[in-house]
Structures are given as structure tokens and as C-alpha cells.
Amino acid sequence: MLQGARHVHIAALNEAASELGFDIEIHELRKSSDLSDASPHALVFPGGESTTMRLTGNDSTSKLLPAIFDWIRNDDTRPVLGTCAGAILLTNPKDGGEALIDAQIDRNAYGRQVDSFQSTLESSLLGSQFPGVFIRAPRFTSVGENGQVVVKNGDEVVGVRTSNRVALTFHPELSQDRSFHVWLLKTAMEVSE
Ligand code: GLN
């Protein structure tokens, strides 16, 4: 709930859960204690504006961002889906600690808002195509040895996985396909069994 497209993710998660036929409980995280109170099985890092998210998430009234980074680092089986600005924060946490996705990423790398676009992607994670919505998107410039390329737009890498964390440079919540949210919930089920 730092900022950005979070309500659309909530709707997408609920739809994914009903596709899978199980109930989920969604916790809206605004401050660090929300995370400890919720002890979630999975986490979504929405898109939005990473600069704003860094400011709001590091503010002394919230401290949510460092709490989330700790939560992710404390157990690398924890399923995380980071989209667009969320992918930037996972790949470049800028907190002096290790990156949560082993790659390098450039902000706003396709240009300005008018350079936003849609494209049909190929995902090895899903084993299918996926409709990609790119809004002032970042771009992966390299992928490290602990980064697995899981989504491509032609030759370009647009999704990277490290452990059970997936960073996407597009907005899966803004298309009708719930496959990435289904992946997150299924992974959470497997990990917590
Ligand atoms: N341009 C944004 C940033 O740098 C990301 C855009 C998005 O999340 N749609 O944070």
C-alpha cells in the first residue's frame, strides 16, 4: 500500500484465488507492524513510482520498506511478485544490502509516459504467452548468475526470477490474464505445506 497500482493487484489476487478454488486473506501493508501482524505467505510489490515508494516506505511513520526487505531476505523461499516499480525496488533496494533479484535494471528506460506500450510476451514460468502492459517501464540491462530469465518480449528480458521472487517490468494486474497471480498463490501453497 506504499503507492501505485495496489488495488488492481488485490482484485487480481481475488480472481486468481477463485480460479484456483481456494480462499485467501489479503493484508494491506502500510507500516512495518502491519507486516509482522499479518505474517503473510506471499507478497506483492506493486508498480507505481519507485522514488515515491522509497520515500513513503522509509518514512519514520511507516518503515515498511526495510521491514519488507528483511522479511524477504530472512527466508528465500518466500514468494514475491514485484511489478514495474516493484521490480525496481527488488532489483535495486538501495539499502546497502544484497539485491533481491540478481540483475541490473534501468528506470524509465523506454522513455516517457507516451512511450508506454503493449506487447505479447513469452513466459517460461507460465509455459505460455502473456499480454504485457508496459507503463513508463524499466528495463533489465543484465542478469546475474542467480537470475533466471522467465519472461521475454522478443529478445528482450522482461521478467527475472531469483529464488521464489519474480520481478516483471510490466503490469500483469492490468491485463485480464491472472496467470502470474495464480503462480504466486500456488507457490505460496507449496511453500507453506
Ligand atoms: N517509472 C516508474 C519508476 O521508475 C515505474 C513505472 C511503473 O511502475 N509503472 O518507478
Side-chain angles (χ1 to χ4, degrees), residues 4-9 12 47-48 83-84 118 130-135 170-178 181:
R6 55 243 197 252
H7 299 289
V8 203
H9 269 295
T83 61
C84 208
Q118 298 188 36
F130 191 89
V133 176
F134 294 80
I135 303 173
F170 53 97
H171 284 263
E173 78 284 7
L174 296 182
S175 64
Q176 299 307 310
D177 190 323
R178 297 293 162 239
H181 294 83

Side-chain angles (χ1 to χ4, degrees), residues 52-192:
T52 309
M53 290 176 174
R54 289 190 204 278
L55 285 171
T56 53
N58 283 308
D59 189 84
S60 59
T61 57
S62 167
K63 299 246 173 77
L64 179 60
L65 207 49
I68 284 178
F69 290 149
D70 277 355
W71 181 84
I72 298 173
R73 288 189 182 114
N74 283 345
D75 179 348
D76 69 6
T77 67
R78 286 178 169 155
V80 180
L81 181 64
T83 61
C84 208
I88 297 173
L89 295 171
L90 289 173
T91 308
N92 188 9
K94 280 195 187 169
D95 66 345
E98 56 165 315
L100 303 161
I101 291 286
D102 190 8
Q104 301 280 322
I105 200 161
D106 248 7
R107 287 184 64 205
N108 303 331
Y110 297 92
R112 302 171 56 190
Q113 196 77 5
V114 290
D115 302 307
S116 298
F117 62 98
Q118 298 188 36
S119 183
T120 301
L121 314 175
E122 291 290 339
S123 174
S124 57
L125 186 80
L126 308 175
S128 65
Q129 295 192 323
F130 191 89
V133 176
F134 294 80
I135 303 173
R136 220 148 76 85
R139 201 174 214 155
F140 288 111
T141 51
S142 67
V143 179
E145 60 178 20
N146 293 319
Q148 185 192 348
V149 175
V150 290
V151 195
K152 288 183 96 174
N153 181 24
D155 288 338
E156 183 153 53
V157 175
V158 295
V160 177
R161 175 180 189 166
T162 293
S163 308
N164 280 340
R165 310 157 196 159
V166 169
L168 308 174
T169 58
F170 53 97
H171 284 263
E173 78 284 7
L174 296 182
S175 64
Q176 299 307 310
D177 190 323
R178 297 293 162 239
S179 304
F180 283 103
H181 294 83
V182 164
W183 171 83
L184 185 75
L185 299 183
K186 273 188 174 165
T187 308
M189 287 289 276
E190 282 162 25
V191 168
S192 54

